[in-house]
Amino acid sequence: MDFKGLIVILLTSVFVNNYVLSKFLGICPFLGVSKKLDQATGMGLSVIFVMLMATAATWPIQYYVLEPLNLGYMQTIVFILVIAALVQLVEMILKKYIPGLHASLGVYLPLITTNCAVLGVTINNITDGYNFVESMVSSLGCGLGFLLAMVLFSGVRQRTENCDAPKCMKGLPITLIAAAIVSLSFFGFAGVIDNLFA
């Protein structure tokens, strides 16, 4: 695939197929860690790292181990184990070098292991028939889309917490309504990316 095709994959992954706002995967950290900008950014960067490393590990495992040995039915289990190991690596790195971020992410950092967005990216890259480079670009785009959603929603949540909402709407109800509105805004990108490179 040429450079233009890779740019299309990247932009489509960030805006059109945003795993949080369009596919609704990874909602747990999206709602749990988006209260503060620094936490949202840290979680987004951690997810980018895990998505890239998971794709770099799972793509060769799929094509050089599972398929040649006719073990394709083990894909989900193997991918989850790889992602769990990578999350442990990220947790150890943050604990050693950035302890403040590690403490602020709290329980949500180990939850990247069960973040269906990470597993979804690795499986969808295989399902979409991407080669290794396309898979890495797709994973980067999906991670950047996750980061973008986290940062945008962090700003929205700060505004909703300071607004004068009715008592019955405070807390989770206004958060879910705000998430739905942010999600709707991303559906408008579908035709834009296609027309950019037509």
Side-chain angles (χ1 to χ4, degrees), residues 166-179:
K167 189 174 181 181
C168 64
M169 296 297 290
K170 288 190 182 285
L172 188 60
I174 195 75
T175 300
L176 292 174
I177 291 170

Side-chain angles (χ1 to χ4, degrees), residues 89-151:
L89 176 68
V90 169
E91 188 169 11
M92 288 188 295
I93 290 171
L94 287 180
K95 191 172 187 177
K96 183 171 177 86
Y97 296 108
I98 315 173
L101 179 59
H102 178 267
S104 69
L105 290 176
V107 71
Y108 293 101
L109 185 58
L111 283 178
I112 295 176
T113 303
T114 58
N115 187 341
C116 50
V118 178
L119 180 63
V121 167
T122 58
I123 291 177
N124 283 339
N125 285 337
I126 304 295
T127 305
D128 292 341
Y130 289 154
N131 62 33
F132 184 76
V133 174
E134 292 168 346
S135 295
M136 292 301 289
V137 170
S138 172
S139 295
L140 175 63
C142 293
L144 289 172
F146 188 88
L147 174 65
L148 177 65
M150 292 289 288
V151 169

Side-chain angles (χ1 to χ4, degrees), residues 27-145:
I27 297 294
C28 177
F30 176 69
L31 293 175
V33 190
S34 59
K35 287 183 181 177
K36 295 181 181 173
L37 180 61
D38 57 341
Q39 291 178 356
T41 305
M43 176 60 83
L45 293 173
S46 300
V47 168
I48 290 173
F49 177 77
V50 171
M51 281 185 179
L52 286 171
M53 297 310 295
T55 298
T58 56
W59 193 93
I61 288 172
Q62 176 70 29
Y63 287 107
Y64 297 118
V65 178
L66 297 179
E67 286 189 7
L69 297 174
N70 292 322
L71 295 173
Y73 60 90
M74 297 287 291
Q75 180 189 60
T76 303
I77 295 170
V78 171
F79 284 15
I80 287 173
L81 290 173
V82 169
I83 292 166
L86 289 169
V87 170
Q88 289 302 312
L89 176 68
V90 169
E91 188 169 11
M92 288 188 295
I93 290 171
L94 287 180
K95 191 172 187 177
K96 183 171 177 86
Y97 296 108
I98 315 173
L101 179 59
H102 178 267
S104 69
L105 290 176
V107 71
Y108 293 101
L109 185 58
L111 283 178
I112 295 176
T113 303
T114 58
N115 187 341
C116 50
V118 178
L119 180 63
V121 167
T122 58
I123 291 177
N124 283 339
N125 285 337
I126 304 295
T127 305
D128 292 341
Y130 289 154
N131 62 33
F132 184 76
V133 174
E134 292 168 346
S135 295
M136 292 301 289
V137 170
S138 172
S139 295
L140 175 63
C142 293
L144 289 172

